[in-house]
Amino acid sequence: MNIPQSSYPRVVIVGGGFGGIALAKKLSKKEAQVVLLDKHNYHNFQPLLYQVSTGGLEPDSIAYPIRKVLQGYPNFFFRLAQVQEVKTDTKRIKTNIGEIFYDYLVVATGSETNFFGNKSIESKGMAMKTIPQSLNLRSLILENFEQALLTDDLHERDGLMNFVIVGGGPTGVELAGALAEIKKGILPKDYPDLDTRRAQINLVQSGDRILPAMSTQASEKAEKFLENLGVNVWKNIRVTDYDGQKVSTDSNTEFKAETLVWAAGVKAVCIKGLNAKELLCKGDRIKVNEYHQVIGVEDVFAIGDVAQMETDKFPHGHPMMAQPAIQQGRNLGDNLVRLMENKPMNPFVYKDKGSMATVGRNKAVVDMPKFRFQGVFAWFVWMFVHLYFLIGFRNRVVVFINWVYNYIRFDREARLIIRPFKKQNRVEKDTLMQD
Ligand SMILES: Cc1cc2nc3c(=O)[nH]c(=O)nc-3n(C[C@H](O)[C@H](O)[C@H](O)COP(=O)(O)OP(=O)(O)OC[C@H]3O[C@@H](n4cnc5c(N)ncnc54)[C@H](O)[C@@H]3O)c2cc1C
């Protein structure tokens, strides 16, 4: 890989997500050569992906060019590269654009959707972890409504208009709330010749409460908000299979839905060379010590979703959320400088700033370390926090204007089928039609 030689030690960061960017920012003014590798040339603000899927925001407003984040720092280099393997014995990384040597390697590859080995759900259900996946979901939702207009078969029409969202965490809750708002405010106007009141939004949660990582108060309130919006919240039910039209569960309940969104689990994105069984914990997270060092592998660190740091307070690692990734990136930045200066490193201590989820228009639930609140004020807090952490001034302005516009007009104007999406069962159907 063509990177200039430097007298500074080389820190290679794999992944320009929340953790990788926070680390790169910390190191860029220091005496280190920083090489950031990512398979995308943009940082993706995942907490707002559901708004892209539901036409509330354009994808461009939640993505930010990685090169721009660190523009003007002479020791910073970005390469668009997919990392394939880490060779810890020779301190080299293999990528699709060649090999690169590192003095220190930081893995910040995040996580991906975990279908727990269920191939039919993986191939016919929808994930929402990346911008292309969110655009696919947006297209599918709109295509299904266009399709619903074309059929006289009531059963088929219902299936096209129904949604099943699997997983009652923040992603599932926020998506269900947004879909309910669309059903209420947009679909009747867009499809006056379709009885869109029949569209069902089902949120299926295997446990006994939604938002299980938040307080019971937040769970109960969020469930109430969703029910008021007309979402069917199903608890203690596990989705077991999906054939593209019928959703099977471990109870007597079955759903007919052409759109199934799987928001029921993630697993770490692990890289070959660091995927030995003894290095990994549950969900393929890489085990690290309190300095983010991969156990037993010299000069290799992991932060964010991919890393599992087990502490007394967090025996199963920190939550797979943006804040731990950002704080770990910053801490590791300081520690790498200390390491280069032969100073002792500082152990990482996570400062829990709380968690939140929005449930449609005007409603959110917020759990802070000392306060808990729900409703309109929580919604304002939710908006402020998301705007604050969004990278890029332009993005903040665009998102803010969109939100104000959508709020006043009860609208979501990005409901566009820019790149049509063909679900696997649809493709089979089309082929049959050609026969
Ligand atoms: C829909 C959704 C909603 C969410 N909502 C919230 C929320 O409200 N609040 C919250 O705190 N958290 C939320 N999260 C979780 C949060 O986004 C993650 O915890 C956070 O992004 C983790 O940061 P990270 O730096 O570890 O990884 P990421 O931000 O995922 O970044 C990983 C980067 O690594 C790159 N990469 C991966 N593999 C390779 C490879 N082999 N080669 C090169 N590059 C690679 C990827 O392209 C990506 O840029 C949400 C997540 C999703 C999916």
Side-chain angles (χ1 to χ4, degrees):
M1 201 180 294
N2 187 16
I3 306 274
Q5 292 291 326
S6 166
S7 54
Y8 294 148
R10 177 182 287 172
V11 181
V12 176
I13 305 169
V14 185
F18 286 100
I21 294 279
L23 170 64
K25 276 185 178 171
K26 267 274 172 188
L27 283 179
S28 292
K29 289 183 208 143
K30 308 289 181 195
E31 294 188 341
Q33 185 188 56
V34 182
V35 180
L36 178 55
L37 308 174
D38 201 299
K39 58 186 174 181
H40 301 120
N41 80 336
Y42 56 84
H43 167 79
N44 165 12
F45 191 78
Q46 294 175 28
L48 292 179
L49 279 175
Y50 83 96
Q51 298 216 0
V52 171
S53 302
T54 52
L57 291 173
E58 285 289 354
D60 309 36
S61 48
I62 66 157
Y64 196 78
I66 293 177
R67 287 189 176 280
K68 187 145 187 227
V69 182
L70 293 142
Q71 235 171 31
Y73 294 109
N75 297 328
F76 172 76
F77 299 87
F78 172 72
R79 293 291 179 270
L80 185 61
Q82 167 111 29
V83 172
Q84 295 160 333
E85 190 176 350
V86 176
K87 299 172 182 172
T88 51
D89 50 344
T90 53
K91 297 182 87 159
R92 297 188 84 80
I93 303 168
K94 197 175 146 205
T95 79
N96 65 328
I97 57 162
E99 288 203 349
I100 179 171
F101 171 84
Y102 63 83
D103 291 299
Y104 302 100
L105 168 66
V106 182
V107 182
T109 44
S111 56
E112 60 188 354
T113 305
N114 190 354
F115 292 93
F116 302 100
N118 191 319
K119 291 284 170 213
S120 58
I121 297 180
E122 183 171 355
S123 64
K124 291 175 174 124
M126 305 297 287
M128 201 182 61
K129 197 78 178 82
T130 64
I131 287 178
Q133 286 172 349
S134 295
L135 287 173
N136 287 345
L137 180 56
R138 183 176 87 179
S139 295
L140 180 71
I141 294 170
L142 297 168
E143 284 164 11
N144 281 346
F145 276 89
E146 294 301 326
Q147 192 84 13
L149 282 170
L150 307 181
T151 177
D152 291 330
D153 181 336
L154 195 61
H155 233 61
E156 188 184 351
R157 196 187 296 160
D158 283 350
L160 285 160
M161 294 197 296
N162 288 346
F163 299 90
V164 171
I165 301 157
V166 192
T171 302
V173 167
E174 293 186 344
L175 181 63
L179 288 171
E181 294 288 1
I182 290 176
K183 179 186 164 185
K184 198 170 77 177
I186 292 172
L187 294 181
K189 287 188 256 168
D190 268 8
Y191 303 93
D193 39 349
L194 204 60
D195 186 3
T196 52
R197 288 170 306 175
R198 292 180 67 88
Q200 285 181 10
I201 299 149
N202 299 292
L203 179 66
V204 185
Q205 164 72 338
S206 60
D208 59 4
R209 66 181 178 111
I210 58 168
L211 300 177
M214 295 184 74
S215 64
T216 44
Q217 204 180 329
S219 303
E220 283 164 13
K221 260 282 168 21
E223 188 175 337
K224 209 162 155 219
F225 291 155
L226 284 174
E227 279 170 359
N228 289 345
L229 281 169
V231 174
N232 306 320
V233 180
W234 303 84
K235 291 179 292 187
N236 297 310
I237 288 186
R238 196 174 285 275
V239 167
T240 52
D241 207 2
Y242 181 49
D243 66 4
Q245 284 154 348
K246 189 181 78 190
V247 183
S248 310
T249 70
D250 61 359
S251 76
N252 292 332
T253 315
E254 259 183 18
F255 303 95
K256 189 167 170 51
E258 290 271 351
T259 311
L260 176 142
V261 183
W262 186 259
V266 290
K267 61 177 179 193
V269 176
C270 206
I271 299 176
K272 191 175 165 196
L274 293 172
N275 58 350
K277 246 189 175 162
E278 58 274 15
L279 294 181
L280 301 185
C281 307
K282 200 175 161 212
D284 289 352
R285 291 177 97 182
I286 303 174
K287 200 167 184 172
V288 297
N289 65 15
E290 68 267 49
Y291 308 108
H292 318 280
Q293 282 168 315
V294 177
I295 310 287
V297 187
E298 218 177 305
D299 302 327
V300 179
F301 301 78
I303 54 172
D305 281 4
V306 74
Q308 176 140 329
M309 183 189 290
E310 294 170 3
T311 63
D312 290 343
K313 212 169 163 197
F314 298 93
H316 306 295
H318 296 99
M320 290 164 101
M321 284 168 50
Q323 265 305 315
I326 293 169
Q327 291 181 28
Q328 288 174 5
R330 289 177 184 158
N331 182 258
L332 180 56
D334 290 336
N335 273 341
L336 284 176
V337 174
R338 295 182 74 82
L339 197 63
M340 290 169 208
E341 292 169 352
N342 288 319
K343 291 182 186 159
M345 294 190 285
N346 294 318
F348 174 70
V349 181
Y350 175 52
K351 287 191 196 75
D352 185 2
K353 295 189 175 171
S355 50
M356 54 185 73
T358 181
V359 195
R361 194 183 160 86
N362 286 337
K363 304 270 191 302
V365 291
V366 174
D367 281 355
M368 311 263 275
K370 291 199 177 128
F371 310 99
R372 283 170 194 161
F373 45 96
Q374 302 90 29
V376 181
F377 179 64
W379 186 63
F380 277 106
V381 171
W382 179 93
M383 281 196 295
F384 173 78
V385 168
H386 282 72
L387 280 178
Y388 181 79
F389 282 102
L390 200 58
I391 298 185
F393 180 71
R394 177 198 162 275
N395 284 355
R396 286 188 197 129
V397 172
V398 170
V399 169
F400 179 69
I401 291 172
N402 262 283
W403 283 351
V404 173
Y405 181 87
N406 292 349
Y407 188 79
I408 296 170
R409 305 265 309 168
F410 283 85
D411 214 341
R412 289 170 170 258
E413 285 199 355
R415 40 188 198 281
L416 312 164
I417 307 171
I418 299 286
R419 16 171 266 175
F421 175 73
K422 289 260 176 232
K423 230 173 69 165
Q424 203 170 311
N425 63 318
R426 281 270 188 85
V427 175
E428 283 162 14
K429 233 181 181 178
D430 289 352
T431 319
L432 281 175
M433 264 158 29
Q434 276 163 19
D435 287 344

